[in-house]
Amino acid sequence: MHSEKITGNIIVGQSGGPTAAINSSLAGVYQGGRELGAGKVLGMLHGIQGLLEGKLVDLSEKITCDLDLELLKRTPAAYLGSCRYKLPDYKKDPKDYDRLFEILKEQNIAAFFYIGGNDSMDTIRKLSEYGELKGSPIRFIGIPKTIDNDLEITDHTPGYGSAAKFIASATKEIIRDSLVYNQKNLTIIEIMGRHAGWLTAAAALAKGNDCEGADRIYLPEKNFDKEVFLKDIAALQEQKQSLVIAVSEGIHLADGRFVCELSDKDFYVDEFGHTMLTGAGAYLSALAKKELGCKTRAVELNTLQRCASHIASHTDIEEAFEVGRRGVMAAAKGVTGEMAVIKRVSDSPYLCTYETHNIKQIANMEKKVPMNWINEGDDGMKEEFIRYARPLIMGEVMPVMVNGLPKHLDYICD
Amino acid sequence: MHSEKITGNIIVGQSGGPTAAINSSLAGVYQGGRELGAGKVLGMLHGIQGLLEGKLVDLSEKITCDLDLELLKRTPAAYLGSCRYKLPDYKKDPKDYDRLFEILKEQNIAAFFYIGGNDSMDTIRKLSEYGELKGSPIRFIGIPKTIDNDLEITDHTPGYGSAAKFIASATKEIIRDSLVYNQKNLTIIEIMGRHAGWLTAAAALAKGNDCEGADRIYLPEKNFDKEVFLKDIAALQEQKQSLVIAVSEGIHLADGRFVCELSDKDFYVDEFGHTMLTGAGAYLSALAKKELGCKTRAVELNTLQRCASHIASHTDIEEAFEVGRRGVMAAAKGVTGEMAVIKRVSDSPYLCTYETHNIKQIANMEKKVPMNWINEGDDGMKEEFIRYARPLIMGEVMPVMVNGLPKHLDYICD
């Protein structure tokens, strides 16, 4: 594999929502470019949207030493900035494509890397198809990234492990916090994930010798029943006074209505006439307070789920780096229209290898939590999930602490 | 000092809201008891409320080795459980007092330690006064604890440094998260603190070479003006597109109305007829969205402010330990009716000593952020605050990581 080299420059962009690991993939692409003899490693600012406006940066000017590369791996969000720009169908509207390929030619680009989720993989699919159509030698490779862990084919997605580690740690800490008062109390932790429950399922990892874990876990893969929920909680409260429940923001009733919409539409309209984005957690907390009369609270884990790099998973950060680096190696071998994927060899000891896979079987798809990993009550995770997820949160990435806080690579976007 | 010994047993309780450091003070009391020859170190479960019901635990059965003590220092919330129980005036209603002193006598208690905030210090004040009245030899010592940092006399309060470190780290990460999209956007971070702005002020610590910091910081010590806020944000948006603002949950208008009440009373009533606890952040986010037309979001840092022991401050955890230990040393010297306090000798190098101080000048008081540490626009912190707060977040307490998560001491409360 080491005989292939990159001839010319390479370019890399980031797209979609931030994660704690996406910059490690950027570091991996940079490192891959260096190893394989690429000329410049260019970054597009704010993804293809910025590229269309010619907004480029030479990464070697930003990453000047090994420490910079390590800081980049420890910097959350998207160092190059992001976008949510959907390329049109090139058959109907090739304008963007002509412009992009013109810029890529001007910049002597041999390979193009896009780090992102489902939508970003659609961009890679379209660009590689268009490139093939035009006989372009440019290689287009997708690098997976999303805290949602909902990409097909790859065993898991870089970004998920760190988000899961934060969620599980926070859940442990919140459970402790809920134990202090000597009265019945119910905490609802609301976790990201509109359609796929991977993040919410991570609350199950909190359970251990020192923690009873979340008492119930509700994923969007299953229908949620308010009456069953209330009866269940009431019964559970007879056994223990402090309950902690994890719910996905996307839980919904059997008729398809989101639980968070119940509150929006029925009773949370703000003074400006907008429906408020009151979440599933706040709704269930209010409902339980009324129906069960106990002290309740809702805790939304919020933005930190995707940017808490201070408690990143070592496994995740290193894998994110490696999918970036492997993407460049694949491009050097002539691969195009594929995404770097992680393939699990074994759970224990945890072992993964890397491959690339046809982007058409990945773009725009959505991988959900397998139904047979959810327990029979539809309110918790089976051991199969724990075996899958535990390795992904293992290991620590020591932040570089300066003045008492994690240091990040200086930013270039504003 | 080392000649004084404790003759008999000692007892310790925790009260008020959880912090990441309160268990380190418990560990300090335990260690102090061991060092000074106390018989048993008893813990009261759920504070004096539990003590009144005779709920006691022998801590030596729970802390069986050095590692347990270290785990206790790294365990958030309140290991012994907490309560919010206000003792009545002993002149009017001595029943509780008679019962408590009876139990303390039965248990051969030489000294009583209560770890908590303003209200808990009121408990120490009352018990020490009653003890004096009755000629009791029992020593009553307060150990300071509160993330709010609002206790008088002591330079700062154990628990604050770790909360501030979490807040500053989260603020840095959220600022990064806000930079990714190429459009005007406003993030409002809502931070705890109803009357004192210490926690919100900690957002100012995020600023450094790698982070521009929060653009504005609003404390409850000053009046908040909605019109000034909107004009200011609109002007600021001409200079930079991504803005992050930190607000205290307790910010209020000049007429005294809390900003969060504006939303509660005017338009957030839930289907059950309760006013919703929509916070100041959610309100300002909705307001700015309407008036300025930009993308806005509110992030509530929430419960993790007081329980994120995974990113605790070493300075804080060690000081929390030491005030506990020093409390026992003071009791051994015969002190009663006092609280262990931290006295700052210098900012740089940071150096503190420990004393005890008459509880009457501490109980029920509330220390606010000095007005001359807030900038002239009433929307940010001056360097004086940074010099004060920076040392308190310095240093890391490595969590003991097991199965990818911070390990805590097994719990005894539920």
Side-chain angles (χ1 to χ4, degrees), chain A residues 46 82 172 176-177 180 210 272 290 306 310 406 408-409, chain B residues 46 82 172 176-177 180 210 212 272 290 306 310 406 408-409:
Chain A
H46 298 295
S82 183
K172 274 191 84 165
R176 283 283 168 159
D177 188 276
V180 301
D210 58 343
F272 317 121
K290 184 194 172 214
R306 66 184 198 188
H310 70 268
H408 302 147
L409 191 60
Chain B
H46 298 292
S82 184
K172 275 191 83 167
R176 283 282 168 158
D177 189 276
V180 301
D210 58 343
E212 290 185 7
F272 317 121
K290 185 194 172 215
R306 66 184 198 189
H310 70 268
H408 303 148
L409 191 59

PDB file of all heavy atoms in Angstrom, chain A residues 46 82 172 176-177 180 210 272 290 306 310 406 408-409, chain B residues 46 82 172 176-177 180 210 212 272 290 306 310 406 408-409:
ATOM      1  N   HIS A  46     -16.263  26.367   5.509  1.00  0.00           N
ATOM      2  CA  HIS A  46     -17.706  26.179   5.403  1.00  0.00           C
ATOM      3  C   HIS A  46     -18.084  25.279   4.227  1.00  0.00           C
ATOM      4  O   HIS A  46     -18.977  25.595   3.436  1.00  0.00           O
ATOM      5  CB  HIS A  46     -18.424  27.526   5.331  1.00  0.00           C
ATOM      6  CG  HIS A  46     -18.224  28.358   6.571  1.00  0.00           C
ATOM      7  ND1 HIS A  46     -18.710  27.987   7.803  1.00  0.00           N
ATOM      8  CD2 HIS A  46     -17.560  29.519   6.769  1.00  0.00           C
ATOM      9  CE1 HIS A  46     -18.360  28.896   8.708  1.00  0.00           C
ATOM     10  NE2 HIS A  46     -17.662  29.832   8.121  1.00  0.00           N
ATOM     11  N   SER A  82     -18.625  24.696   8.850  1.00  0.00           N
ATOM     12  CA  SER A  82     -19.485  23.694   8.242  1.00  0.00           C
ATOM     13  C   SER A  82     -20.521  24.367   7.356  1.00  0.00           C
ATOM     14  O   SER A  82     -20.561  25.597   7.241  1.00  0.00           O
ATOM     15  CB  SER A  82     -20.166  22.905   9.365  1.00  0.00           C
ATOM     16  OG  SER A  82     -20.955  21.875   8.830  1.00  0.00           O
ATOM     17  N   LYS A 172     -24.386   9.219  34.848  1.00  0.00           N
ATOM     18  CA  LYS A 172     -23.910   8.757  36.165  1.00  0.00           C
ATOM     19  C   LYS A 172     -23.937   9.901  37.175  1.00  0.00           C
ATOM     20  O   LYS A 172     -24.363   9.729  38.314  1.00  0.00           O
ATOM     21  CB  LYS A 172     -22.450   8.251  36.066  1.00  0.00           C
ATOM     22  CG  LYS A 172     -22.297   6.816  35.654  1.00  0.00           C
ATOM     23  CD  LYS A 172     -20.858   6.318  35.848  1.00  0.00           C
ATOM     24  CE  LYS A 172     -20.601   5.856  37.277  1.00  0.00           C
ATOM     25  NZ  LYS A 172     -19.354   5.047  37.389  1.00  0.00           N
ATOM     26  N   ARG A 176     -26.364  10.413  40.597  1.00  0.00           N
ATOM     27  CA  ARG A 176     -25.860  10.751  41.941  1.00  0.00           C
ATOM     28  C   ARG A 176     -26.577  11.981  42.491  1.00  0.00           C
ATOM     29  O   ARG A 176     -26.956  12.037  43.654  1.00  0.00           O
ATOM     30  CB  ARG A 176     -24.353  11.053  41.880  1.00  0.00           C
ATOM     31  CG  ARG A 176     -23.494   9.851  41.783  1.00  0.00           C
ATOM     32  CD  ARG A 176     -23.387   9.178  43.151  1.00  0.00           C
ATOM     33  NE  ARG A 176     -22.784   7.877  42.991  1.00  0.00           N
ATOM     34  CZ  ARG A 176     -22.184   7.219  43.979  1.00  0.00           C
ATOM     35  NH1 ARG A 176     -22.110   7.710  45.184  1.00  0.00           N
ATOM     36  NH2 ARG A 176     -21.684   6.030  43.759  1.00  0.00           N
ATOM     37  N   ASP A 177     -26.698  12.968  41.628  1.00  0.00           N
ATOM     38  CA  ASP A 177     -27.328  14.224  42.039  1.00  0.00           C
ATOM     39  C   ASP A 177     -28.770  13.990  42.482  1.00  0.00           C
ATOM     40  O   ASP A 177     -29.276  14.668  43.369  1.00  0.00           O
ATOM     41  CB  ASP A 177     -27.283  15.207  40.862  1.00  0.00           C
ATOM     42  CG  ASP A 177     -27.725  16.604  41.243  1.00  0.00           C
ATOM     43  OD1 ASP A 177     -28.939  16.879  41.249  1.00  0.00           O
ATOM     44  OD2 ASP A 177     -26.848  17.427  41.554  1.00  0.00           O
ATOM     45  N   VAL A 180     -29.750  12.598  46.405  1.00  0.00           N
ATOM     46  CA  VAL A 180     -29.426  13.249  47.685  1.00  0.00           C
ATOM     47  C   VAL A 180     -30.622  13.525  48.587  1.00  0.00           C
ATOM     48  O   VAL A 180     -30.508  13.507  49.797  1.00  0.00           O
ATOM     49  CB  VAL A 180     -28.618  14.557  47.490  1.00  0.00           C
ATOM     50  CG1 VAL A 180     -27.317  14.269  46.766  1.00  0.00           C
ATOM     51  CG2 VAL A 180     -29.417  15.617  46.774  1.00  0.00           C
ATOM     52  N   ASP A 210     -20.995   0.782  40.719  1.00  0.00           N
ATOM     53  CA  ASP A 210     -21.174   1.994  41.520  1.00  0.00           C
ATOM     54  C   ASP A 210     -22.399   2.800  41.109  1.00  0.00           C
ATOM     55  O   ASP A 210     -22.599   3.918  41.582  1.00  0.00           O
ATOM     56  CB  ASP A 210     -19.929   2.875  41.434  1.00  0.00           C
ATOM     57  CG  ASP A 210     -19.603   3.263  39.991  1.00  0.00           C
ATOM     58  OD1 ASP A 210     -20.126   2.602  39.077  1.00  0.00           O
ATOM     59  OD2 ASP A 210     -18.830   4.221  39.791  1.00  0.00           O
ATOM     60  N   PHE A 272     -44.747  35.561  20.848  1.00  0.00           N
ATOM     61  CA  PHE A 272     -44.591  35.986  19.467  1.00  0.00           C
ATOM     62  C   PHE A 272     -45.407  35.088  18.528  1.00  0.00           C
ATOM     63  O   PHE A 272     -45.330  35.218  17.316  1.00  0.00           O
ATOM     64  CB  PHE A 272     -43.116  35.959  19.075  1.00  0.00           C
ATOM     65  CG  PHE A 272     -42.220  36.518  20.147  1.00  0.00           C
ATOM     66  CD1 PHE A 272     -41.222  35.743  20.716  1.00  0.00           C
ATOM     67  CD2 PHE A 272     -42.400  37.822  20.610  1.00  0.00           C
ATOM     68  CE1 PHE A 272     -40.411  36.256  21.716  1.00  0.00           C
ATOM     69  CE2 PHE A 272     -41.586  38.324  21.613  1.00  0.00           C
ATOM     70  CZ  PHE A 272     -40.595  37.540  22.168  1.00  0.00           C
ATOM     71  N   LYS A 290     -47.848  16.278  37.448  1.00  0.00           N
ATOM     72  CA  LYS A 290     -49.292  16.404  37.628  1.00  0.00           C
ATOM     73  C   LYS A 290     -49.928  15.066  38.020  1.00  0.00           C
ATOM     74  O   LYS A 290     -50.695  14.979  38.974  1.00  0.00           O
ATOM     75  CB  LYS A 290     -49.931  16.893  36.329  1.00  0.00           C
ATOM     76  CG  LYS A 290     -51.425  17.132  36.493  1.00  0.00           C
ATOM     77  CD  LYS A 290     -52.140  17.297  35.185  1.00  0.00           C
ATOM     78  CE  LYS A 290     -53.640  17.335  35.435  1.00  0.00           C
ATOM     79  NZ  LYS A 290     -54.387  16.708  34.344  1.00  0.00           N
ATOM     80  N   ARG A 306     -22.469  17.130  21.603  1.00  0.00           N
ATOM     81  CA  ARG A 306     -21.694  17.077  20.366  1.00  0.00           C
ATOM     82  C   ARG A 306     -20.382  17.848  20.438  1.00  0.00           C
ATOM     83  O   ARG A 306     -19.634  17.846  19.471  1.00  0.00           O
ATOM     84  CB  ARG A 306     -22.539  17.541  19.185  1.00  0.00           C
ATOM     85  CG  ARG A 306     -22.933  18.995  19.227  1.00  0.00           C
ATOM     86  CD  ARG A 306     -23.846  19.325  18.044  1.00  0.00           C
ATOM     87  NE  ARG A 306     -23.886  20.754  17.823  1.00  0.00           N
ATOM     88  CZ  ARG A 306     -24.710  21.348  16.970  1.00  0.00           C
ATOM     89  NH1 ARG A 306     -25.558  20.632  16.261  1.00  0.00           N
ATOM     90  NH2 ARG A 306     -24.675  22.644  16.811  1.00  0.00           N
ATOM     91  N   HIS A 310     -13.754  17.694  26.128  1.00  0.00           N
ATOM     92  CA  HIS A 310     -12.967  17.521  27.350  1.00  0.00           C
ATOM     93  C   HIS A 310     -13.100  16.117  27.928  1.00  0.00           C
ATOM     94  O   HIS A 310     -12.314  15.713  28.763  1.00  0.00           O
ATOM     95  CB  HIS A 310     -13.330  18.581  28.404  1.00  0.00           C
ATOM     96  CG  HIS A 310     -14.676  18.424  29.016  1.00  0.00           C
ATOM     97  ND1 HIS A 310     -15.804  19.047  28.525  1.00  0.00           N
ATOM     98  CD2 HIS A 310     -15.099  17.706  30.067  1.00  0.00           C
ATOM     99  CE1 HIS A 310     -16.845  18.726  29.276  1.00  0.00           C
ATOM    100  NE2 HIS A 310     -16.442  17.910  30.219  1.00  0.00           N
ATOM    101  N   PRO A 406      -9.283  23.263  28.860  1.00  0.00           N
ATOM    102  CA  PRO A 406      -8.760  22.557  27.685  1.00  0.00           C
ATOM    103  C   PRO A 406      -8.365  23.554  26.594  1.00  0.00           C
ATOM    104  O   PRO A 406      -9.130  24.466  26.277  1.00  0.00           O
ATOM    105  CB  PRO A 406      -9.955  21.709  27.228  1.00  0.00           C
ATOM    106  CG  PRO A 406     -10.837  21.574  28.420  1.00  0.00           C
ATOM    107  CD  PRO A 406     -10.672  22.860  29.174  1.00  0.00           C
ATOM    108  N   HIS A 408      -7.536  24.602  22.767  1.00  0.00           N
ATOM    109  CA  HIS A 408      -7.943  24.226  21.404  1.00  0.00           C
ATOM    110  C   HIS A 408      -7.002  24.898  20.411  1.00  0.00           C
ATOM    111  O   HIS A 408      -6.326  25.872  20.738  1.00  0.00           O
ATOM    112  CB  HIS A 408      -9.376  24.681  21.134  1.00  0.00           C
ATOM    113  CG  HIS A 408     -10.379  24.133  22.103  1.00  0.00           C
ATOM    114  ND1 HIS A 408     -11.499  24.820  22.500  1.00  0.00           N
ATOM    115  CD2 HIS A 408     -10.411  22.958  22.776  1.00  0.00           C
ATOM    116  CE1 HIS A 408     -12.185  24.099  23.365  1.00  0.00           C
ATOM    117  NE2 HIS A 408     -11.548  22.968  23.553  1.00  0.00           N
ATOM    118  N   LEU A 409      -7.006  24.393  19.186  1.00  0.00           N
ATOM    119  CA  LEU A 409      -6.234  25.059  18.139  1.00  0.00           C
ATOM    120  C   LEU A 409      -6.915  26.387  17.815  1.00  0.00           C
ATOM    121  O   LEU A 409      -8.140  26.454  17.700  1.00  0.00           O
ATOM    122  CB  LEU A 409      -6.161  24.160  16.894  1.00  0.00           C
ATOM    123  CG  LEU A 409      -5.177  24.588  15.809  1.00  0.00           C
ATOM    124  CD1 LEU A 409      -3.743  24.648  16.321  1.00  0.00           C
ATOM    125  CD2 LEU A 409      -5.243  23.639  14.617  1.00  0.00           C
TER     126      LEU A 409
ATOM    127  N   HIS B  46     -28.866  11.973  55.140  1.00  0.00           N
ATOM    128  CA  HIS B  46     -29.813  13.063  54.887  1.00  0.00           C
ATOM    129  C   HIS B  46     -29.803  14.105  56.020  1.00  0.00           C
ATOM    130  O   HIS B  46     -30.851  14.521  56.505  1.00  0.00           O
ATOM    131  CB  HIS B  46     -31.232  12.532  54.644  1.00  0.00           C
ATOM    132  CG  HIS B  46     -31.309  11.646  53.436  1.00  0.00           C
ATOM    133  ND1 HIS B  46     -31.127  12.124  52.160  1.00  0.00           N
ATOM    134  CD2 HIS B  46     -31.525  10.317  53.304  1.00  0.00           C
ATOM    135  CE1 HIS B  46     -31.230  11.125  51.293  1.00  0.00           C
ATOM    136  NE2 HIS B  46     -31.465  10.016  51.959  1.00  0.00           N
ATOM    137  N   SER B  82     -28.668  14.459  51.479  1.00  0.00           N
ATOM    138  CA  SER B  82     -28.796  15.826  51.942  1.00  0.00           C
ATOM    139  C   SER B  82     -30.210  16.066  52.477  1.00  0.00           C
ATOM    140  O   SER B  82     -31.058  15.181  52.457  1.00  0.00           O
ATOM    141  CB  SER B  82     -28.502  16.771  50.772  1.00  0.00           C
ATOM    142  OG  SER B  82     -28.533  18.100  51.194  1.00  0.00           O
ATOM    143  N   LYS B 172     -16.322  27.483  26.441  1.00  0.00           N
ATOM    144  CA  LYS B 172     -15.350  27.387  25.339  1.00  0.00           C
ATOM    145  C   LYS B 172     -15.847  26.442  24.248  1.00  0.00           C
ATOM    146  O   LYS B 172     -15.764  26.740  23.064  1.00  0.00           O
ATOM    147  CB  LYS B 172     -14.002  26.839  25.842  1.00  0.00           C
ATOM    148  CG  LYS B 172     -13.065  27.873  26.419  1.00  0.00           C
ATOM    149  CD  LYS B 172     -11.648  27.318  26.639  1.00  0.00           C
ATOM    150  CE  LYS B 172     -10.821  27.361  25.358  1.00  0.00           C
ATOM    151  NZ  LYS B 172      -9.375  27.131  25.635  1.00  0.00           N
ATOM    152  N   ARG B 176     -17.068  27.303  20.290  1.00  0.00           N
ATOM    153  CA  ARG B 176     -16.588  26.596  19.099  1.00  0.00           C
ATOM    154  C   ARG B 176     -17.754  26.068  18.275  1.00  0.00           C
ATOM    155  O   ARG B 176     -17.779  26.168  17.056  1.00  0.00           O
ATOM    156  CB  ARG B 176     -15.710  25.406  19.501  1.00  0.00           C
ATOM    157  CG  ARG B 176     -14.345  25.781  19.931  1.00  0.00           C
ATOM    158  CD  ARG B 176     -13.491  26.079  18.706  1.00  0.00           C
ATOM    159  NE  ARG B 176     -12.257  26.708  19.114  1.00  0.00           N
ATOM    160  CZ  ARG B 176     -11.136  26.718  18.392  1.00  0.00           C
ATOM    161  NH1 ARG B 176     -11.104  26.152  17.198  1.00  0.00           N
ATOM    162  NH2 ARG B 176     -10.068  27.318  18.833  1.00  0.00           N
ATOM    163  N   ASP B 177     -18.704  25.487  18.984  1.00  0.00           N
ATOM    164  CA  ASP B 177     -19.873  24.905  18.311  1.00  0.00           C
ATOM    165  C   ASP B 177     -20.650  25.973  17.545  1.00  0.00           C
ATOM    166  O   ASP B 177     -21.228  25.712  16.494  1.00  0.00           O
ATOM    167  CB  ASP B 177     -20.771  24.237  19.362  1.00  0.00           C
ATOM    168  CG  ASP B 177     -21.900  23.429  18.744  1.00  0.00           C
ATOM    169  OD1 ASP B 177     -22.944  24.007  18.402  1.00  0.00           O
ATOM    170  OD2 ASP B 177     -21.717  22.209  18.600  1.00  0.00           O
ATOM    171  N   VAL B 180     -19.470  27.288  13.646  1.00  0.00           N
ATOM    172  CA  VAL B 180     -19.342  26.459  12.446  1.00  0.00           C
ATOM    173  C   VAL B 180     -20.154  26.940  11.241  1.00  0.00           C
ATOM    174  O   VAL B 180     -19.752  26.763  10.111  1.00  0.00           O
ATOM    175  CB  VAL B 180     -19.648  24.963  12.701  1.00  0.00           C
ATOM    176  CG1 VAL B 180     -18.707  24.409  13.752  1.00  0.00           C
ATOM    177  CG2 VAL B 180     -21.088  24.757  13.106  1.00  0.00           C
ATOM    178  N   ASP B 210      -6.962  31.114  22.431  1.00  0.00           N
ATOM    179  CA  ASP B 210      -7.672  30.248  21.492  1.00  0.00           C
ATOM    180  C   ASP B 210      -9.176  30.464  21.510  1.00  0.00           C
ATOM    181  O   ASP B 210      -9.926  29.703  20.903  1.00  0.00           O
ATOM    182  CB  ASP B 210      -7.365  28.778  21.805  1.00  0.00           C
ATOM    183  CG  ASP B 210      -7.744  28.419  23.242  1.00  0.00           C
ATOM    184  OD1 ASP B 210      -7.925  29.342  24.066  1.00  0.00           O
ATOM    185  OD2 ASP B 210      -7.854  27.220  23.539  1.00  0.00           O
ATOM    186  N   GLU B 212     -12.280  33.738  21.881  1.00  0.00           N
ATOM    187  CA  GLU B 212     -12.624  35.149  22.112  1.00  0.00           C
ATOM    188  C   GLU B 212     -13.474  35.331  23.377  1.00  0.00           C
ATOM    189  O   GLU B 212     -13.676  36.453  23.827  1.00  0.00           O
ATOM    190  CB  GLU B 212     -13.362  35.720  20.904  1.00  0.00           C
ATOM    191  CG  GLU B 212     -12.458  35.891  19.691  1.00  0.00           C
ATOM    192  CD  GLU B 212     -13.162  36.577  18.529  1.00  0.00           C
ATOM    193  OE1 GLU B 212     -14.312  37.042  18.699  1.00  0.00           O
ATOM    194  OE2 GLU B 212     -12.564  36.636  17.451  1.00  0.00           O
ATOM    195  N   PHE B 272     -51.539  21.991  32.404  1.00  0.00           N
ATOM    196  CA  PHE B 272     -52.012  21.694  33.750  1.00  0.00           C
ATOM    197  C   PHE B 272     -52.256  22.970  34.542  1.00  0.00           C
ATOM    198  O   PHE B 272     -52.554  22.933  35.725  1.00  0.00           O
ATOM    199  CB  PHE B 272     -50.998  20.801  34.471  1.00  0.00           C
ATOM    200  CG  PHE B 272     -50.462  19.714  33.601  1.00  0.00           C
ATOM    201  CD1 PHE B 272     -49.106  19.601  33.341  1.00  0.00           C
ATOM    202  CD2 PHE B 272     -51.332  18.799  33.001  1.00  0.00           C
ATOM    203  CE1 PHE B 272     -48.619  18.603  32.523  1.00  0.00           C
ATOM    204  CE2 PHE B 272     -50.842  17.795  32.183  1.00  0.00           C
ATOM    205  CZ  PHE B 272     -49.486  17.696  31.937  1.00  0.00           C
ATOM    206  N   LYS B 290     -37.128  37.056  17.381  1.00  0.00           N
ATOM    207  CA  LYS B 290     -38.209  37.874  16.842  1.00  0.00           C
ATOM    208  C   LYS B 290     -37.698  39.260  16.433  1.00  0.00           C
ATOM    209  O   LYS B 290     -37.964  39.737  15.330  1.00  0.00           O
ATOM    210  CB  LYS B 290     -39.309  38.034  17.897  1.00  0.00           C
ATOM    211  CG  LYS B 290     -40.509  38.784  17.330  1.00  0.00           C
ATOM    212  CD  LYS B 290     -41.454  39.248  18.403  1.00  0.00           C
ATOM    213  CE  LYS B 290     -42.509  40.161  17.798  1.00  0.00           C
ATOM    214  NZ  LYS B 290     -42.905  41.221  18.711  1.00  0.00           N
ATOM    215  N   ARG B 306     -23.365  21.497  38.951  1.00  0.00           N
ATOM    216  CA  ARG B 306     -23.082  21.152  40.339  1.00  0.00           C
ATOM    217  C   ARG B 306     -22.632  19.704  40.531  1.00  0.00           C
ATOM    218  O   ARG B 306     -22.345  19.310  41.653  1.00  0.00           O
ATOM    219  CB  ARG B 306     -24.295  21.451  41.225  1.00  0.00           C
ATOM    220  CG  ARG B 306     -25.508  20.601  40.947  1.00  0.00           C
ATOM    221  CD  ARG B 306     -26.671  21.054  41.820  1.00  0.00           C
ATOM    222  NE  ARG B 306     -27.686  20.021  41.894  1.00  0.00           N
ATOM    223  CZ  ARG B 306     -28.875  20.174  42.435  1.00  0.00           C
ATOM    224  NH1 ARG B 306     -29.206  21.327  42.969  1.00  0.00           N
ATOM    225  NH2 ARG B 306     -29.732  19.182  42.463  1.00  0.00           N
ATOM    226  N   HIS B 310     -16.301  15.000  36.718  1.00  0.00           N
ATOM    227  CA  HIS B 310     -15.320  14.503  35.749  1.00  0.00           C
ATOM    228  C   HIS B 310     -14.368  15.599  35.294  1.00  0.00           C
ATOM    229  O   HIS B 310     -13.323  15.316  34.731  1.00  0.00           O
ATOM    230  CB  HIS B 310     -16.004  13.837  34.549  1.00  0.00           C
ATOM    231  CG  HIS B 310     -16.722  14.776  33.635  1.00  0.00           C
ATOM    232  ND1 HIS B 310     -18.054  15.089  33.765  1.00  0.00           N
ATOM    233  CD2 HIS B 310     -16.288  15.487  32.573  1.00  0.00           C
ATOM    234  CE1 HIS B 310     -18.406  15.943  32.813  1.00  0.00           C
ATOM    235  NE2 HIS B 310     -17.353  16.204  32.079  1.00  0.00           N
ATOM    236  N   PRO B 406     -15.987   7.635  34.675  1.00  0.00           N
ATOM    237  CA  PRO B 406     -15.462   7.948  36.006  1.00  0.00           C
ATOM    238  C   PRO B 406     -16.098   7.046  37.064  1.00  0.00           C
ATOM    239  O   PRO B 406     -17.318   6.880  37.096  1.00  0.00           O
ATOM    240  CB  PRO B 406     -15.894   9.406  36.228  1.00  0.00           C
ATOM    241  CG  PRO B 406     -16.127   9.964  34.869  1.00  0.00           C
ATOM    242  CD  PRO B 406     -16.650   8.801  34.056  1.00  0.00           C
ATOM    243  N   HIS B 408     -17.119   6.085  40.868  1.00  0.00           N
ATOM    244  CA  HIS B 408     -17.512   6.750  42.113  1.00  0.00           C
ATOM    245  C   HIS B 408     -17.524   5.736  43.240  1.00  0.00           C
ATOM    246  O   HIS B 408     -17.576   4.525  43.000  1.00  0.00           O
ATOM    247  CB  HIS B 408     -18.912   7.360  41.962  1.00  0.00           C
ATOM    248  CG  HIS B 408     -19.033   8.329  40.821  1.00  0.00           C
ATOM    249  ND1 HIS B 408     -20.188   8.495  40.096  1.00  0.00           N
ATOM    250  CD2 HIS B 408     -18.140   9.190  40.281  1.00  0.00           C
ATOM    251  CE1 HIS B 408     -20.000   9.421  39.171  1.00  0.00           C
ATOM    252  NE2 HIS B 408     -18.770   9.851  39.248  1.00  0.00           N
ATOM    253  N   LEU B 409     -17.509   6.236  44.474  1.00  0.00           N
ATOM    254  CA  LEU B 409     -17.645   5.321  45.609  1.00  0.00           C
ATOM    255  C   LEU B 409     -19.089   4.784  45.631  1.00  0.00           C
ATOM    256  O   LEU B 409     -20.033   5.539  45.438  1.00  0.00           O
ATOM    257  CB  LEU B 409     -17.325   6.070  46.914  1.00  0.00           C
ATOM    258  CG  LEU B 409     -17.160   5.211  48.163  1.00  0.00           C
ATOM    259  CD1 LEU B 409     -16.039   4.197  48.008  1.00  0.00           C
ATOM    260  CD2 LEU B 409     -16.905   6.084  49.396  1.00  0.00           C
TER     261      LEU B 409
END
